[in-house]
């Protein structure tokens, strides 16, 4: 069993900052890629950012220059520092990881999501 648990969501004013965290636990052999997706009300889920075990990052164009993804490999944790937040960043943010276990080469795992609301 593998679990991803997010924390750090909440209400913030436009221009403010939030930091999301996601910790993976369970029967983990190796975490290849970790990242964040989001789903705004009435829209589909979209990629926000990903980071490999070698710290190679990828960002959606809409968050480049404002969001920073980082990872603590020793603690199986991924972070998303969100600065200069805009109302259009309002969404449920989901942690995602591609994880190899003792029984699977690699599977997608998802957290339950944390709500980020950007509003004055």
């Amino acid at each position: 069993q593998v679990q991803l648990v997010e924390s750090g969501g909440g209400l913030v004013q436009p221009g403010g900052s939030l930091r999301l965290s996601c910790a993976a636990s369970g029967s983990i052999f190796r975490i290849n890629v970790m990242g964040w997706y989001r789903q705004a009300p009435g829209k589909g889920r979209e990629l926000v950012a990903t980071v490999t075990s070698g710290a190679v990052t990828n960002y959606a164009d809409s968050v480049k220059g404002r969001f920073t993804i980082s990872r603590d490999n020793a603690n199986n944790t991924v972070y998303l520092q969100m600065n200069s937040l805009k109302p259009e960043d309002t969404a449920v943010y989901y942690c995602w990881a591609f994880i190899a276990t003792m029984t699977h080469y690699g599977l997608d795992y998802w957290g339950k999501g944390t709500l980020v609301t950007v509003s004055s």
Side-chain angles (χ1 to χ4, degrees):
Q1 294 281 357
V2 174
Q3 286 187 321
L4 301 181
V5 179
E6 303 108 330
S7 61
L11 173 64
V12 63
Q13 292 186 340
S17 298
L18 278 177
R19 189 190 195 209
L20 305 182
S21 300
C22 171
S25 62
S27 302
I28 297 170
F29 176 70
R30 182 180 62 250
I31 303 180
N32 297 297
V33 189
M34 300 186 81
W36 294 92
Y37 285 71
R38 68 185 180 186
Q39 187 166 15
K43 296 187 177 181
R45 192 173 295 190
E46 63 174 2
L47 170 71
V48 176
T50 60
V51 58
T52 69
S53 57
V56 176
T57 58
N58 179 54
Y59 294 93
D61 288 343
S62 59
V63 306
K64 283 181 181 177
R66 300 187 298 122
F67 290 11
T68 301
I69 190 169
S70 60
R71 179 171 167 174
D72 180 351
N73 289 329
N75 292 301
N76 293 333
T77 301
V78 64
Y79 305 96
L80 186 68
Q81 177 67 42
M82 304 184 293
N83 299 327
S84 303
L85 282 161
K86 305 175 181 179
E88 51 264 42
D89 294 317
T90 294
V92 177
Y93 284 70
Y94 295 92
C95 180
W96 164 83
F98 188 71
I99 298 174
T101 67
M102 296 302 179
T103 56
H104 286 282
Y105 173 75
L107 291 174
D108 291 318
Y109 291 89
W110 293 90
K112 293 183 179 180
T114 184
L115 178 62
V116 172
T117 303
V118 184
S119 176
S120 54

